[in-house]
Amino acid sequence: MMEVVSPGLLTSVQDLGRYGHQHEGVSPGGAMDAFALRAANLLTGNDENAAALEVTMQGPTLRFVRDTAFALGGADLSATVEGTPVPPWRTVLARAGSRLAFGAGTGCRTYVAVAGGVDVPSVLGSRSTCLRAGFGGHEGRALRKGDRLRIGAAPPLAGRIIAALAAGGTRRTAAACVIAPWGISSSLRPRYSAAPVVRLIEGAHVSLLTADARQRLVRNDLRVGAQSDRMGYRLEGPTLETTGGRDLLSEGVAFGTVQLPPGGVPIVLMADRQTTGGYPRIGEVASVDLPLLAQLRPGDRLRFRTVTVGEAQAAEAQREAELAQARLAIRLRHP
Amino acid sequence: MRFTPLGDRAVTITIGERIDEATHRTVRAVCARLTERPVAGVLELVPAFASVVVHYDPLRVPPCVPPRDPRMRVPELAHPYERFISMLSATLHDLRAAAPAPSRLVEIPVLYGGEGGPDLEEVARHHALDADSVVRMHAAGDYLVHMVGFAPGFAYLGGLAPELATPRRDVPRTHVPAGSVGIGGAQTGVYPVDSPGGWRIIGRTMLRMFDAARSPASLLQVGDRVRFRVVTAEEASVR
């Protein structure tokens, strides 16, 4: 059980999203930074799709009612357990009654995975919160002060990780938490940055851009606009002109689709996007680089670099192979 | 039929260029075929007016079987999306011009005008009609669900009489209640959840267009035929 002492800016229950209902207009939703969620779950011995808390910029204060193993993945938001700094990308065993709090940091989102997962009902196949329509997750909304969240039973691997951490902590019985000496190495993580280069696959309607606009799309820094959120990121910079494209029929879109509405400001569709759209599609962010976007705050910049679909898929396959190795290494460490 | 990648985890199958019943039948036939003969890696299908987007997991697309003769490389099938498009194409290549697929008829009771239909008078004035005529014409329509998108349970309905097409409000409302029946340009539909909106609201239904706890969650599905039925305030209040 976790108690929400203070909720933070926007904290919600998310897993890897709900699939199978886009034909009914239900957005997949789920974690904005799927890599960070999966890594945090791996560290706790959870299934990768276990429900966790997505924390946005200003984090919550959570009290663990019992001894709880958790891991943070994503932005370093200066987390502490009873004042002791705890780094992301490492498993932590927190004592019963201790509080996890956050401070200032870099990046935008961090995931709090707890061994056993956040135990909320599964709705339409997922525990993710659909904030827009108000269902799923914890009562279909962001967390509030006073909320109490159940934690599921720790799977066997999680139990072994906890036992190893507890054994390692007996020398410091006064400590509120024990931090594992191993974790997800930086070479495995995406190249998070406040000004990343993001791989972009050219979209179906890129030919509608003027030649000038096409150059500007990849030569210039684009700034994440103030109204950017879980539904989409507005990318401000040079205006991009199109020739035509005003009467396109609505079609299915994806996480990372870059639309260009008539105003000339591209929008990257994110986790809570609408399932279909009728604006011109000038590009698709390579899935492997979506975590880079998820860590950008309004005001941060990015630059696009075009790649082919094949290159994007090869990069993702590489990342998956590395994640699989990390998964195996954690298992071997805890026989 | 054209197959183009929609990023690295989806493919768009483009079937036509227009909103019409023949294109719609082909869209449904494509979805039916891909459901009857599942292709490895498919996560889900999203039908629309003239296309079907197939979302897939590239890591679950089976690897190419290398040819026995190493000199016979098939480099164009090296990437998951190429192999996937090849499998989709093979599954759909003999799709005939589709017979009309069976449709459900869904009746939506609507209390037109009054508090739930604040724009009815304005729509009538816009067309130099009286409110009763607008109601009669709207309820006489035989509508088809071409696609469900924009919001959970929001059905794009084809078949609004051109005489009722009304431009959207210049300034959208910040709050349109769920169940509101509206006209936006040449389209008509029902708002499934509370949301901002710029359509002209002419009535309200008590039916829940979307319910996450129900199966299926969306009341209207692609291919359904829809009729609006006029109800009186008494009938509406009994619910």
Side-chain angles (χ1 to χ4, degrees):
Chain A
M1 178 80 72
M2 287 185 286
E3 289 171 356
V4 180
V5 176
S6 70
L9 181 65
L10 176 62
T11 305
S12 62
V13 178
Q14 302 292 348
D15 57 21
L16 292 175
R18 57 180 50 89
Y19 291 90
H21 296 278
Q22 288 189 74
H23 69 283
E24 296 183 291
V26 179
S27 177
M32 287 279 273
D33 182 346
F35 174 86
L37 171 68
R38 293 169 70 194
N41 272 328
L42 276 189
L43 288 166
T44 58
N46 281 344
D47 183 86
E48 284 180 15
N49 188 36
L53 298 183
E54 179 178 88
V55 165
T56 315
M57 290 191 284
Q58 289 159 36
T61 300
L62 306 167
R63 194 177 146 268
F64 297 114
V65 172
R66 292 197 226 293
D67 286 1
T68 304
F70 73 90
L72 305 172
D76 187 343
L77 297 180
S78 306
T80 55
V81 173
E82 292 297 314
T84 304
V86 291
W89 314 110
R90 300 273 199 100
T91 319
V92 180
L93 179 60
R95 296 262 182 258
S98 63
R99 281 177 303 182
L100 168 65
F102 295 85
T106 51
C108 191
R109 293 176 172 88
T110 203
Y111 296 84
V112 183
V114 290
V118 180
D119 187 8
V120 292
S122 174
V123 177
L124 294 176
S126 163
R127 293 186 165 82
S128 291
T129 313
C130 180
L131 294 166
R132 193 174 164 218
F135 66 84
H138 180 74
E139 301 179 2
R141 57 170 175 77
L143 297 189
R144 297 204 273 252
K145 176 179 165 143
D147 283 342
R148 294 166 69 87
L149 297 170
R150 272 204 267 271
I151 297 175
L157 175 58
R160 298 196 290 276
I161 293 173
I162 291 168
L165 285 174
T170 49
R171 286 173 230 121
R172 290 172 308 197
T173 46
C177 66
V178 179
I179 302 170
W182 50 272
I184 300 280
S185 75
S186 57
S187 60
L188 176 54
R189 303 174 216 150
R191 298 223 191 123
Y192 295 120
S193 158
V197 173
V198 174
R199 282 167 282 199
L200 182 75
I201 300 161
E202 288 196 324
H205 307 120
V206 73
S207 55
L208 290 179
L209 286 174
T210 61
D212 249 10
R214 267 172 102 155
Q215 297 282 19
R216 267 180 261 136
L217 180 62
V218 291
R219 290 263 171 86
N220 289 79
D221 282 357
L222 299 168
R223 192 178 56 248
V224 176
Q227 287 142 339
S228 302
D229 60 14
R230 280 184 53 90
M231 279 187 73
Y233 276 19
R234 291 171 56 87
L235 298 181
E236 292 160 5
T239 311
L240 303 177
E241 306 96 21
T242 48
T243 54
R246 280 179 184 266
D247 291 312
L248 298 175
L249 299 181
S250 287
E251 294 192 352
V253 291
F255 192 168
T257 294
V258 182
Q259 294 182 317
L260 188 60
V265 177
I267 300 176
V268 187
L269 300 184
M270 303 297 279
D272 282 351
R273 64 199 172 280
Q274 294 168 5
T275 53
T276 57
Y279 291 132
R281 300 186 302 277
I282 56 172
E284 309 284 331
V285 173
S287 296
V288 72
D289 282 348
L290 289 171
L292 300 180
L293 278 181
Q295 294 302 343
L296 296 181
R297 303 179 172 224
D300 286 343
R301 292 168 189 279
L302 65 87
R303 185 175 292 220
F304 283 130
R305 174 167 78 85
T306 49
V307 295
T308 63
V309 183
E311 287 166 344
Q313 289 183 335
E316 187 172 22
Q318 170 78 14
R319 160 95 40 86
E320 285 303 310
E322 291 166 0
L323 208 53
Q325 283 192 324
R327 190 182 308 128
L328 183 61
I330 292 170
R331 284 190 178 270
L332 292 176
R333 203 178 232 281
H334 302 94
Chain B
M1 213 170 285
R2 228 174 352 118
F3 299 85
T4 46
L6 176 69
D8 52 26
R9 288 194 190 154
V11 169
T12 305
I13 305 176
T14 305
I15 286 150
E17 309 288 319
R18 279 202 299 269
I19 303 174
D20 59 42
E21 297 237 358
T23 307
H24 171 75
R25 282 201 294 274
T26 308
V27 165
R28 292 192 68 201
V30 166
C31 291
R33 175 62 66 88
L34 292 176
T35 306
E36 290 155 22
R37 301 190 202 169
V39 172
V42 173
L43 292 172
E44 62 181 313
L45 309 174
V46 183
F49 289 112
S51 65
V52 177
V53 165
V54 185
H55 293 273
Y56 71 105
D57 180 352
L59 301 166
R60 280 174 28 201
V61 176
C64 225
V65 176
R68 285 174 188 278
D69 182 347
R71 287 170 298 181
M72 290 188 59
R73 284 181 49 79
V74 200
E76 66 271 16
L77 295 186
H79 298 297
Y81 92 91
E82 285 154 329
R83 300 196 297 273
F84 188 67
I85 284 178
S86 153
M87 293 194 306
L88 284 180
S89 176
T91 307
L92 295 170
H93 82 277
D94 63 344
L95 204 65
R96 300 274 169 266
S103 286
R104 302 184 310 167
L105 174 64
V106 181
E107 203 178 61
I108 300 182
V110 180
L111 179 61
Y112 284 95
E115 259 185 53
D119 299 327
L120 178 60
E121 296 292 339
E122 213 176 310
V123 169
R125 269 200 306 278
H126 182 86
H127 295 288
L129 296 167
D130 60 37
D132 279 350
S133 299
V134 171
V135 170
R136 202 172 42 248
M137 286 171 70
H138 189 259
D142 184 22
Y143 304 97
L144 170 66
V145 179
H146 282 269
M147 54 183 277
V148 179
F150 166 69
F154 180 81
Y156 286 73
L157 301 178
L160 178 70
E163 299 86 352
L164 289 183
T166 315
R168 291 169 177 74
R169 291 165 57 98
D170 284 341
V171 181
R173 288 191 173 86
T174 51
H175 178 251
V176 176
S180 294
V181 178
I183 294 174
Q187 296 182 78
T188 190
V190 185
Y191 281 73
V193 295
D194 290 355
S195 75
W199 285 22
R200 306 285 181 172
I201 305 305
I202 61 173
R204 193 182 303 179
T205 181
M206 298 304 145
L207 289 188
R208 291 198 70 178
M209 305 306 295
F210 180 80
D211 184 347
R214 188 176 58 198
S215 183
S218 173
L219 183 73
L220 296 180
Q221 300 284 326
V222 174
D224 286 346
R225 302 216 92 98
V226 176
R227 309 204 106 220
F228 294 101
R229 183 167 66 85
V230 181
V231 297
T232 61
E234 290 79 45
E235 286 177 78
S237 66
V238 162
R239 282 173 216 293

